[in-house]
């Protein structure tokens, strides 16, 4: 294993959630699904999102859903009489609330655009400020054309989606390819999470990984390939839904495409430079510290970037502060494209 892979493995350990957090998230999800599946007209349940995809870092709230049978609810959705989701979502919320409140007396429920958000107010092991995973439950509906209709409560309507397909694509064999893809997603999410405004949603990162990582390779090669591929594809336009059901995946409203592409290109260049100097631990570390500045510390790279004017997204004052130690006690975060330390 080269130095690049070793350093990335250390980053992956730093961004990983604790096992007890993942266990709690899965247990809460399963208890919600166990209750929800007893609602009238439920065909099946499913799990989705980062917990089900094995790509969770700090995003440990569990996503899941129930699928309603259109034959039981013939008026619902575009394939029926066009009835919206509000009434049935509220009905399922009340049903699940009554079913689990005895075991979770502090539980609370609120309706979002897509889901029923269930918050437990039970920090893990009762520790202050400990993780307290919530569950997002989607009330989905079978769709004549395949896949599902999922709620869009902002317009009292339904949107086509296929979360079951997304989970299958990210977990299907071959196991070695799925493993390196998931690790790549988690490392890219770690990079993305360092910015004050994240340039990509988690699903976009996963979708791009499905497109470009199709064979087993080292994690260093995979992450570098992802950044190089993502920079080119995001420059072209929005990412296609892997299930080819939903509209293409948009960038967040508070970032520009040029800014996102610039950050991706810079990360790709530093990743490639690390691989090119893989036998030199200091150089590999210097380059990777310009991609994972919250996780890989390198005074040499910070000073070098400061002296040459900076091209990594730091401003000069922030880079020099990092070298002198002033930044050692502060978490340095950045916004896509603004070049500021905040």
């Amino acid at each position: 294993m080269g130095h690049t892979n070793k350093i990335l493995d250390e980053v992956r350990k730093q961004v990983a959630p604790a096992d007890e957090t993942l266990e709690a998230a899965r247990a809460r999800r399963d208890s919600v699904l166990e209750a929800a599946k007893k609602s009238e007209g439920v065909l099946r349940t499913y799990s989705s999102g980062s917990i089900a995809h094995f790509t969770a870092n700090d995003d440990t709230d569990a996503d899941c859903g129930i699928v309603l049978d259109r034959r039981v609810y013939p008026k619902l959705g575009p394939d029926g009489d066009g009835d919206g989701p509000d009434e049935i979502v509220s009905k399922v919320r009340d049903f699940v609330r009554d079913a689990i409140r005895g075991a979770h007396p502090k539980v609370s429920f609120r309706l979002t655009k897509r889901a029923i958000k269930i918050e437990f107010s039970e920090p893990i092991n009762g520790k202050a400020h400990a993780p307290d995973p919530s569950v997002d439950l989607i009330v989905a509906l079978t769709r004549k054309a395949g896949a599902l209709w999922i709620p869009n409560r902002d317009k009292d309507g339904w949107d086509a989606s296929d979360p079951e397909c997304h989970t299958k694509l990210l977990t299907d064999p071959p196991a070695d390819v799925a493993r390196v893809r998931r690790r790549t997603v988690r490392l890219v999410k770690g990079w993305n999470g360092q910015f004050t405004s994240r340039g990509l949603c988690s699903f976009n990162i996963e979708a791009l990984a499905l497109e470009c990582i199709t064979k087993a390779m080292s994690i260093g090669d995979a992450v570098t390939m992802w950044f190089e591929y993502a920079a080119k594809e995001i420059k072209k336009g929005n990412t296609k839904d892997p299930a080819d059901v939903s509209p293409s995946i948009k960038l967040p409203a508070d970032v520009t495409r040029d800014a996102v592409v610039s950050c991706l290109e810079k990360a790709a260049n530093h990743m490639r430079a690390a691989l090119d100097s893989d036998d030199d631990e200091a150089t590999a570390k210097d380059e990777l510290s310009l991609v994972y500045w919250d996780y890989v510390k390198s005074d040499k790279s910070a000073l070098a970037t400061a002296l040459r004017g900076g091209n990594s997204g730091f401003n000069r004052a922030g880079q020099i502060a990092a070298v002198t130690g002033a930044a050692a006690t502060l978490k340095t975060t950045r916004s896509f494209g603004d070049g500021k330390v905040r």
Side-chain angles (χ1 to χ4, degrees):
M1 180 185 292
H3 292 296
T4 300
N5 290 324
K6 289 179 182 178
I7 295 168
L8 289 176
D9 272 346
E10 289 303 313
V11 174
R12 190 163 54 85
K13 291 176 184 177
Q14 291 182 67
V15 301
D19 288 344
E20 62 180 355
T21 302
L22 292 174
E23 291 170 4
R26 294 184 185 116
R28 293 176 184 188
R29 176 196 65 196
D30 293 348
S31 67
V32 167
L33 286 178
E34 181 64 25
K37 74 179 184 181
K38 298 173 184 175
S39 299
E40 182 183 6
V42 174
L43 279 176
R44 62 183 182 273
T45 65
Y46 68 87
S47 297
S48 59
S50 61
I51 299 294
H53 300 167
F54 301 96
T55 60
N57 287 347
D58 58 353
D59 48 339
T60 52
D61 295 333
D63 299 311
C64 59
I66 55 173
V67 180
L68 301 178
D69 189 340
R70 288 180 50 256
R71 294 169 298 183
V72 179
Y73 299 97
K75 294 184 178 182
L76 286 180
D79 295 329
D81 293 341
D83 285 6
D86 281 357
E87 183 176 347
I88 185 61
V89 170
S90 296
K91 180 180 177 181
V92 172
R93 175 200 58 195
D94 294 345
F95 185 90
V96 174
R97 181 173 55 200
D98 292 344
I100 70 172
R101 179 160 279 171
H104 303 282
K106 296 181 180 179
V107 71
S108 63
F109 292 71
R110 63 183 175 88
L111 302 184
T112 67
K113 175 181 178 180
R114 300 285 187 198
I116 304 166
K117 178 168 281 295
I118 303 164
E119 297 174 302
F120 290 80
S121 299
E122 297 174 12
I124 294 173
N125 294 331
K127 299 175 183 176
H129 308 298
D132 189 8
S134 63
V135 174
D136 280 1
L137 174 68
I138 289 180
V139 180
L141 182 67
T142 52
R143 181 169 172 261
K144 282 184 179 179
L148 301 173
W149 292 113
I150 64 172
N152 183 338
R153 295 185 59 256
D154 287 352
K155 62 179 186 182
D156 192 25
W158 303 81
D159 294 333
S161 184
D162 200 344
E164 294 170 301
C165 178
H166 299 152
T167 299
K168 185 176 186 298
L169 289 171
L170 283 154
T171 56
D172 264 0
D176 54 351
V177 178
R179 185 182 307 110
V180 72
R181 187 187 291 128
R182 293 195 297 260
R183 290 178 176 180
T184 298
V185 168
R186 292 186 54 239
L187 282 165
V188 174
K189 285 167 65 173
W191 166 80
N192 190 49
Q194 297 171 118
F195 293 91
T196 53
S197 296
R198 300 186 182 191
L200 299 167
C201 70
S202 295
F203 183 41
N204 203 346
I205 294 171
E206 291 179 338
L208 289 164
L210 283 168
E211 291 180 9
C212 70
I213 301 174
T214 58
K215 63 181 180 179
M217 62 186 78
S218 74
I219 193 62
D221 287 330
V223 173
T224 303
M225 175 185 287
W226 188 95
F227 277 117
E228 292 174 343
Y229 181 83
K232 294 176 183 177
E233 293 302 308
I234 293 295
K235 190 172 186 177
K236 294 178 188 176
N238 293 334
T239 307
K240 182 181 177 181
D241 171 28
D244 200 20
V245 172
S246 302
S248 295
I249 307 164
K250 296 180 180 179
L251 297 180
D254 58 346
V255 300
T256 67
R257 187 171 304 277
D258 286 347
V260 174
V261 170
S262 176
C263 289
L264 289 168
E265 289 175 340
K266 289 172 184 176
N269 290 338
H270 290 305
M271 288 299 308
R272 181 59 63 186
L275 286 179
D276 289 345
S277 303
D278 199 41
D279 57 346
D280 183 339
E281 182 177 8
T283 301
K285 188 174 183 180
D286 287 345
E287 295 295 339
L288 290 174
S289 72
L290 296 174
V291 182
Y292 293 101
W293 53 89
D294 280 350
Y295 306 104
V296 180
K297 302 305 178 184
S298 171
D299 290 350
K300 181 179 177 181
S301 65
L303 179 59
T305 305
L307 293 176
R308 68 174 178 258
N311 63 0
S312 67
F314 282 107
N315 63 16
R316 288 174 64 100
Q319 292 160 339
I320 294 169
V323 176
T324 60
T329 59
L330 298 173
K331 182 176 179 181
T332 302
T333 55
R334 317 177 191 183
S335 291
F336 270 85
D338 70 3
K340 296 178 181 178
V341 176
R342 293 181 177 177

